[in-house]
């Protein structure tokens, strides 16, 4: 059964928050190895891991890895080395799949194996790697800091672009010896564009697929989006002193209730109001999705996203005090990510929706304008008229509309 998000407010609330998103030990036939990017020994993960909870239960082999970023965060990474049928070539091309904000790698797995992108890729002969960003349920670890320490949460998506993506790319390239295909959704596209614009990843990248690409947020025009962004920037009185944005904590729920009390805001239908009218979400999938979401991120990360809405450009985190910016950047203003610096021969696939309120078509056009010098033979663009933000991640027809195009794009890269 497919229905609009307005039919279940709990999904709407969850997705609003989401939008603001070594030798392996083999599971099912599993193990966890630590690959240090920072040279420290990680404590064991407290949870069983994504392999056991979302992959091997469907009959796929899965391997658990930990990788340490250069700033000490210990990230959980899963590898699906082959399809459910097993066998096939051992010379498979690796694909790295990255989630958005307030989500983790399991967000890609809420649909059935026949409908979700990681398992479709595995069944089509790819070596699939799923990352879980810092602060999420399987990556709440650091070589020296506890999540209870505010310093653990002193980061924004700048650090995801500078440290998390390179660490996972290094892991995959080191294990396979091959260049890597990349798939990102939402913030997973933002950090890839930012990282590539600074010359990172390029030597290990085969191609990149960006679903609901978010680089500019100039046209976030919904009342809910504007008020939420302004609230994070200037009216966070109840949240001052919080480093972690934990969506189920009392200070955060009180903040959200106060936000919803404002005149003219309809919090019953958060999903449509914030991400656009998603056409193709399944009720049972939504229920499964909400067993794990939304997840924690840093307050600094949400403030950074809000600055992007306010300022219209793609820049590093703005400390708002010129002398502090000067200390961090050597300039009174934060540096701009110049997307025209992305190498013009990187094969890129962009897919965006006509009804997406976060990756608004006008903002995607600004992104395309910044890529106007890109080799036209290396840039593939898909426009899906009826899709909004979450359809690319959980739409029941995403396999036929989007994922088949991603598969074809990857298979055409040599």
């Amino acid at each position: 059964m497919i229905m609009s998000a307005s039919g279940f407010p709990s999904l709407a609330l969850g997705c609003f928050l989401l939008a603001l998103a070594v030798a392996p030990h083999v599971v099912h036939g599993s193990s966890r190895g630590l690959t240090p990017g920072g040279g420290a020994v990680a404590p064991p993960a407290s949870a069983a891991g994504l392999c056991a909870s979302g992959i091997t239960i469907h009959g796929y082999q899965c391997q658990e890895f930990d990788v340490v970023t250069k700033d000490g965060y210990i990230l959980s990474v899963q590898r699906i080395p082959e399809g459910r049928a097993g066998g096939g070539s051992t010379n498979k091309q690796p694909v790295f799949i990255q989630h958005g904000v307030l989500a983790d790698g399991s967000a890609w797995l809420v649909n059935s194996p026949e409908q979700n992108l990681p398992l479709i890729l595995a069944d089509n002969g790819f070596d699939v790697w799923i990352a879980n960003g810092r602060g999420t349920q399987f990556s709440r670890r650091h070589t020296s800091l506890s999540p209870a320490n505010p310093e653990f949460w002193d980061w924004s998506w700048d650090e995801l672009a500078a440290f998390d993506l390179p660490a996972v790319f290094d892991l995959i390239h080191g294990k396979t010896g091959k260049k890597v295909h990349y798939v990102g959704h939402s913030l997973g596209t933002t950090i890839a564009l930012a990282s590539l614009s600074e010359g990172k990843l390029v030597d290990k990248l085969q191609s990149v697929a960006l679903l609901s690409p978010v680089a500019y947020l100039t046209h976030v025009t919904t009342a809910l989006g504007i008020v939420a962004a302004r609230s994070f920037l200037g009216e966070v009185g109840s949240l001052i002193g919080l480093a972690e944005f934990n969506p189920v904590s009392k200070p955060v729920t009180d903040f959200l209730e106060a936000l919803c009390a404002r005149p003219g805001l309809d919090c019953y239908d958060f999903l449509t109001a914030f991400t656009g009218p998603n056409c193709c979400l399944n009720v049972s999938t939504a229920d499964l999705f909400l067993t794990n979401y939304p997840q924690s991120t840093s307050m600094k990360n949400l403030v950074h996203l809000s600055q992007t809405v306010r300022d219209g450009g793609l820049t590093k985190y703005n400390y708002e005090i010129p002398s502090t910016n000067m200390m961090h950047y050597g300039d009174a203003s934060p540096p701009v990510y110049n997307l025209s610096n992305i190498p013009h021969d990187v094969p890129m696939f962009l897919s965006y929706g006509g009804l997406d309120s976060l990756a608004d078509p006008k903002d995607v056009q600004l992104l395309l304008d910044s890529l106007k010098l890109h080799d036209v033979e290396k840039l593939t663009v898909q426009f899906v008229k009826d899709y909004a933000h979450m359809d690319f991640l959980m739409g029941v027809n995403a396999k036929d509309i989007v994922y088949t195009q991603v598969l074809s794009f990857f298979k055409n890269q040599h």
Side-chain angles (χ1 to χ4, degrees):
M1 175 182 179
I2 301 173
M3 68 182 293
S4 161
S6 61
F8 38 94
S10 60
L11 172 65
L13 175 60
C15 287
F16 161 69
L17 291 169
L18 175 68
L20 280 177
V22 164
H25 150 145
V26 178
V27 182
H28 171 13
S30 137
S31 95
R32 178 177 293 275
L34 174 67
T35 300
V41 176
S46 58
L50 184 53
C51 280
S53 62
I55 298 170
T56 61
I57 57 174
H58 297 300
Y60 292 78
Q61 287 198 10
C62 187
Q63 301 164 357
E64 294 273 3
F65 293 88
D66 292 326
V67 62
V68 183
T69 67
K70 286 185 177 179
D71 56 346
Y73 289 86
I74 302 166
L75 310 180
S76 173
V77 179
Q78 288 72 42
R79 181 186 193 181
I80 310 169
E82 60 185 27
R84 183 155 49 183
S89 169
T90 58
N91 189 35
K92 297 180 178 181
Q93 195 71 34
V95 181
F96 168 14
I97 302 182
Q98 178 64 50
H99 61 81
V101 68
L102 289 170
D104 71 355
S106 62
W108 295 99
L109 299 166
V110 292
N111 275 331
S112 70
E114 295 74 27
Q115 293 177 322
N116 75 61
L117 182 57
L119 299 186
I120 289 171
L121 287 167
D123 283 334
N124 279 272
F126 289 93
D127 179 5
V128 180
W129 298 72
I130 303 173
N132 299 269
R134 60 179 68 187
T136 59
Q137 62 179 329
F138 300 123
S139 299
R140 294 175 64 88
R141 294 179 292 155
H142 190 277
T143 56
S144 62
L145 298 173
S146 161
N149 186 333
E151 291 183 23
F152 181 94
W153 301 98
D154 185 17
W155 51 266
S156 77
W157 56 261
D158 284 335
E159 282 71 28
L160 306 185
F163 300 121
D164 288 23
L165 287 190
V168 179
F169 264 87
D170 286 347
L171 167 68
I172 299 171
H173 187 263
K175 291 294 178 183
T176 66
K178 295 179 177 296
K179 289 192 172 185
V180 181
H181 294 298
Y182 177 87
V183 183
H185 174 255
S186 191
L187 189 66
T189 70
T190 313
I191 59 178
L193 290 166
S195 195
L196 287 169
S197 76
E198 296 195 321
K200 300 180 178 68
L201 315 180
V202 176
D203 61 330
K204 300 179 178 69
L205 180 68
Q206 183 74 14
S207 71
V208 58
L210 307 177
L211 310 183
S212 275
V214 175
Y216 302 100
L217 293 168
T218 305
H219 293 91
V220 175
T221 56
T222 60
L224 182 55
I226 292 170
V227 168
R230 288 176 178 169
S231 295
F232 274 110
L233 283 171
E235 303 169 23
V236 293
S238 64
L239 300 178
I240 288 175
L242 286 185
E244 175 184 1
F245 185 89
N246 180 349
V248 299
S249 67
K250 188 176 187 306
V252 174
T253 56
D254 287 348
F255 167 75
L256 293 172
E257 288 175 6
L259 191 68
C260 292
R262 297 179 180 226
L265 292 186
D266 178 11
C267 287
Y268 177 77
D269 192 5
F270 266 81
L271 182 56
T272 295
F274 209 86
T275 70
N278 296 279
C279 69
C280 306
L281 306 187
N282 181 291
V283 177
S284 60
T285 296
D287 289 342
L288 177 60
F289 179 78
L290 288 171
T291 63
N292 287 313
Y293 303 99
Q295 294 193 31
S296 290
T297 189
S298 70
M299 279 295 300
K300 187 175 181 180
N301 194 29
L302 296 184
V303 170
H304 193 181
L305 287 168
S306 299
Q307 291 172 349
T308 307
V309 175
R310 178 194 66 187
D311 299 335
L314 196 66
T315 72
K316 293 185 183 291
Y317 183 84
N318 190 343
Y319 289 90
E320 307 292 350
I321 301 170
S323 60
T324 307
N325 282 333
M326 184 68 70
M327 180 179 68
H328 284 273
Y329 308 125
D331 196 286
S333 299
V336 173
Y337 289 104
N338 186 349
L339 300 186
S340 66
N341 287 339
I342 295 173
H344 300 162
D345 60 349
V346 170
M348 299 182 72
F349 172 87
L350 280 72
S351 185
Y352 68 107
L355 301 178
D356 194 331
S357 293
L358 283 178
D360 184 278
K362 296 185 185 70
D363 286 326
V364 176
Q365 189 57 54
L366 290 175
L367 168 59
L368 292 172
D369 288 346
S370 71
L371 299 173
K372 62 186 177 183
L373 298 180
H374 211 80
D375 185 338
V376 294
E377 295 183 356
K378 298 291 185 178
L379 182 61
T380 302
V381 180
Q382 179 191 37
F383 175 68
V384 186
K385 179 181 178 181
D386 297 330
Y387 261 31
H389 204 68
M390 300 306 295
D391 289 314
F392 291 90
L393 184 68
M394 298 192 298
V396 295
N397 57 358
K399 172 186 177 181
D400 297 324
I401 294 175
V402 180
Y403 300 163
T404 54
Q405 298 299 312
V406 173
L407 274 171
S408 176
F409 172 73
F410 284 161
K411 288 181 177 179
N412 286 332
Q413 309 308 317
H414 302 290

